[in-house]
Every structure is written in structure tokens, then in C-alpha cells.
Amino acid sequence: MEIALTYDPRWRYTPQGRTSSWASLDTVEYVSVLLEELGMTVLPLKADDAFETRLADIKHKYARPVVFWLNEFMPTASGRDMFTVRVIEKLGMMHTGPGTEALATGLDKEATKEVFRGLGLPTPESYVVPLGDFSPIDEPASWEGCAIVKPLLQGNSRGMDGSSVVLAGDAKAIREKVQRVHDEFAEPALVEKYIGGEDAREFTVPMLISHDGGIAELPITEIDLSQIPLAQGRFRFLTHDIKDEKYYLKIPARLSPGTTTRLAAGT
């Protein structure tokens, strides 16, 4: 089988002495080796200006190539990034990972939370503050305690640092954090109930879903909050400056069978 392995042209090798980042050429080489060991023919493909043309050539040259996209985004001539999978879908090629619609929903925190609510899954209370409209902040929060302010559409904890948690009733502090998000990212901000605490635990439950709906569960990962530096002397959460370090991960998480079942079921 031929695998077109796409990557971002802006990626570089990780400097010596630093923890390898996913967004690097180290990842491209690592995944290539794993696929080749499985007997696949790997076709590394840089997602640059010639990406669509080269991908179309691969489609016509091979019978049933599959595109394994490592990079969610690719640069464009306009200066704005676009989803790599959008080009793949345009050419009608088989690919790993979600499609454009699912990816867009997953990167929009409030849209994702709406999906959770529709499925009856618990999710922290929240509200969105659009660009240029601070009126949602003036409405009393529906929860007590603290709030955490995040960019609505960013991933990898971008826009979050140790000062991102404020009192839910402190409109002035929330407005300052929201303004920073608006200025830095030119997008809405999400104000969400902070649910951390002394006994809090955080998990990631990964899975593979095939085109026919089959599901393969992968090892549950725990984000060991005790390994994360305290923010403001009392909060522990992932900020952008430590998100890629990975020293705080426990894979697999050490859980009882009952807890594993509940996490996998989302209950």
C-alpha cells in the first residue's frame, strides 16, 4: 500500500537537547520508519504551494493510495492557514483522521461543547465573548468560583498562561483577559467554569474510528497535574509553554477496571 505522508513546510528538526515536538521533521521520519516496517511504501509530501498538484499525481499513479496527514494546517498564498484535509477531500482521496467538518467542530471549543450537551455528556458551563462585544461579561455568571479564559478556536493551549484563571464574578479581570485574546488572535474568547481542584484528575481517552464505524480503544492517558507548576499559587492546568514537554503524561494511566470502563463510556 502507498501512503502519502503529508507535513507542514514550516516544520524543522527539533534542536538537540530538547524534547521532540510533534510538529517537527523528527515526527515525519519516525512515522515513515514505522509504516515502512509494516511493509508500506511511504511518499513524504510537503504541504506547500505545489501540494495539490503533487497529490493529484500520486492519485493518478497509484491504484488506491491513502493520505496520512500529520499536519492539520498548511500555509496558503493569502497568509492564512487552511485545513490540509480540505485539499485531500477535494481530490476525493482516502485519508486518515477526521474530515473538514469534524475537524472544524473539534477546533471550535463551544461547538464541541454543544455536541457534548446534545449527547447528554457533562461539560463545564461557559459563554463566548465575540470580537468587539463585551456584553456577555456584564451578565452575572451562572456559576460561583473561578473562570478560565481561552481563545475559542486555538489548540495546544495557545493563549493560556498562569494568569488565565480569574474569579468568575470579577468582570474587570475577565474583560482584561478577553481583550488580550481578541488582540492576540483576532477571534472570540471562551469564558469557562474552572473545574480544577486539589483532588482533580485529567484524562485523555483516545480511540481510532474506521470508515465503517468500527472503534479501536487506545490506552487512556492521564495528565498528572501534580507534575505541573502551580499558577497563582493554587491552580494547575496546561499552559502553552509546557504543553509540548510531555513529562506530565502517564501512559497508560493507572486506573481500576471500573474507572477505565466509566471513562471509556463517558459516564
Side-chain angles (χ1 to χ4, degrees):
M1 176 182 288
E2 292 77 28
I3 305 291
L5 188 65
T6 80
Y7 62 96
D8 193 308
R10 296 165 291 193
W11 289 2
R12 299 292 182 266
Y13 286 103
T14 304
Q16 190 173 8
R18 295 191 60 184
T19 303
S20 294
S21 165
W22 171 266
S24 70
L25 294 179
D26 306 84
T27 299
V28 181
E29 290 190 355
Y30 178 70
V31 174
S32 294
V33 169
L34 292 179
L35 292 173
E36 288 169 349
E37 288 177 350
L38 293 172
M40 310 291 183
T41 299
V42 179
L43 309 168
L45 191 58
K46 187 185 298 184
D48 56 14
D49 292 343
F51 176 62
E52 184 173 342
T53 300
R54 291 201 300 270
L55 192 57
D57 290 342
I58 289 173
K59 178 183 179 181
H60 294 135
K61 183 176 180 180
Y62 300 99
R64 290 178 62 81
V66 174
V67 185
F68 187 150
W69 53 267
L70 294 173
N71 53 315
E72 289 182 359
F73 299 100
M74 58 178 286
T76 67
S78 69
R80 296 180 63 87
D81 285 359
M82 67 177 288
F83 290 140
T84 306
V85 73
R86 188 181 296 276
V87 177
I88 301 168
E89 289 177 329
K90 178 182 177 182
L91 294 174
M93 298 180 69
M94 293 187 295
H95 62 86
T96 60
T100 300
E101 183 178 356
L103 191 57
T105 299
L107 289 175
D108 183 325
K109 297 179 180 68
E110 187 62 22
T112 300
K113 290 163 73 70
E114 283 298 321
V115 173
F116 294 159
R117 294 179 187 117
L119 294 171
L121 297 173
T123 185
E125 298 168 83
S126 62
Y127 60 86
V128 174
V129 184
L131 282 169
D133 178 11
F134 293 93
S135 60
I137 300 174
D138 298 328
E139 298 292 328
S142 59
W143 68 87
E144 297 181 351
C146 294
I148 186 165
V149 181
K150 315 172 182 179
L152 181 67
L153 306 174
Q154 298 297 311
N156 208 36
S157 294
R158 292 185 186 90
M160 294 175 60
D161 60 26
S163 68
S164 294
V165 177
V166 296
L167 291 174
D170 189 341
K172 181 176 182 293
I174 292 175
R175 185 185 181 101
E176 289 174 354
K177 301 305 175 189
V178 167
Q179 185 68 65
R180 187 181 67 174
V181 169
H182 288 178
D183 292 344
E184 184 174 352
F185 298 100
E187 67 182 53
L190 179 74
V191 181
E192 184 178 55
K193 181 179 181 179
Y194 177 73
I195 59 172
E198 187 174 340
D199 299 322
R201 298 180 72 182
E202 184 172 344
F203 301 94
T204 297
V205 184
M207 61 186 70
L208 292 175
I209 304 176
S210 67
H211 64 89
D212 60 1
I215 298 176
E217 297 177 6
L218 301 175
I220 294 174
T221 299
E222 179 168 12
I223 297 170
D224 186 354
L225 297 175
S226 69
Q227 300 299 311
I228 295 175
L230 277 172
Q232 303 177 45
R234 56 178 176 149
F235 304 117
R236 294 188 193 273
F237 57 93
L238 288 179
T239 55
H240 183 55
D241 60 336
I242 64 172
K243 190 67 177 280
D244 285 333
E245 295 301 321
K246 310 303 183 189
Y247 61 82
Y248 48 79
L249 296 179
K250 290 182 178 178
I251 308 174
R254 293 188 284 274
L255 300 167
S256 68
T259 301
T260 299
T261 300
R262 290 199 305 275
L263 284 172
T267 59

